[in-house]
Amino acid sequence: MDVDQEVYILKSEGGNGPEFRIPKDSVGLSRVLSDLEGDDAIELNFSAQTLSKILEYLNKYKNNAPASIERPLRAKVLKEVVSEWDAAFVELEIPDLYDLLCAAHLLDIAPLVNLCGAKVATLIDRKNAEQIREVFGLTNDLTPEQQESAKKEYHSILLDEIQAPTS
């Protein structure tokens, strides 16, 4: 980083974690960071790991925005619809992907929100409710009666006849 370059100082973990510096010209994709004024350090309630990933993404695309992601996704494998770098970037454990998605949303980094969303979509594509719970480590807290009621209410989108392929 150039010594004379203007930077934002971002503090992770609500100001209690490591400090990061990012050139002001690297934050263009974040509507929140782009609108900041002044030189005070900004405290963010993200882990250092998440903030580091955010800054890596912003630096990667500081001079040219990433290609938009076509929706609906036309492939089940993320690297078939985004760059190899982008696909590798979101190849994370579910909790880390969730943290990255939340941070991107809070900092209003639309392309990163879309990338994380596309990754989630590929994780749940063609999976039934039980398989989705398994992917995200969720427990089914519905009673059998509530499940039956939901099936009746949402029968048009819950196609029990079509079994999700096992992968």
Side-chain angles (χ1 to χ4, degrees):
M1 196 176 322
D2 187 352
V3 175
D4 294 331
Q5 195 171 25
E6 289 189 63
V7 298
Y8 287 118
I9 299 172
L10 306 176
K11 292 184 176 183
S12 62
E13 301 166 22
N16 298 317
E19 211 174 75
F20 295 85
R21 296 175 184 276
I22 184 167
K24 289 184 178 182
D25 65 358
S26 294
V27 300
L29 288 178
S30 170
R31 290 181 25 180
V32 170
L33 294 177
S34 295
D35 289 345
L36 292 175
E37 295 178 6
D39 294 326
D40 292 339
I42 300 122
E43 295 178 1
L44 298 168
N45 285 322
F46 311 137
S47 69
Q49 176 184 341
T50 299
L51 186 52
S52 177
K53 288 288 281 184
I54 291 283
L55 299 183
E56 180 183 356
Y57 187 85
L58 291 174
N59 279 318
K60 167 73 175 168
Y61 290 111
K62 76 177 187 177
N63 294 321
N64 55 337
S68 60
I69 300 171
E70 192 176 315
R71 287 179 275 181
L73 293 179
R74 63 181 192 276
K76 295 175 185 86
V77 178
L78 191 60
K79 65 182 174 185
E80 293 178 15
V81 292
V82 300
S83 74
E84 193 172 313
W85 189 92
D86 282 349
F89 184 77
V90 291
E91 195 59 43
L92 303 167
E93 296 294 323
I94 298 295
D96 297 331
L97 180 62
Y98 176 77
D99 289 347
L100 183 63
L101 174 59
C102 290
H105 174 71
L106 290 170
L107 292 174
D108 201 357
I109 307 170
L112 184 52
V113 170
N114 293 338
L115 177 60
C116 292
K119 174 63 177 178
V120 170
T122 63
L123 292 173
I124 65 173
D125 185 48
R126 297 192 173 274
K127 290 186 171 47
N128 62 34
E130 191 56 41
Q131 291 168 321
I132 292 170
R133 283 188 201 99
E134 198 173 294
V135 167
F136 294 109
L138 304 172
T139 57
N140 183 359
D141 59 352
L142 298 177
T143 65
E145 295 80 22
Q146 290 171 321
Q147 288 179 19
E148 209 44 52
S149 174
K151 284 181 183 178
K152 287 177 184 170
E153 188 173 347
Y154 300 106
H155 72 281
S156 62
I157 58 173
L158 297 172
L159 303 174
D160 291 339
E161 299 80 42
I162 302 174
Q163 292 296 315
T166 56
S167 19

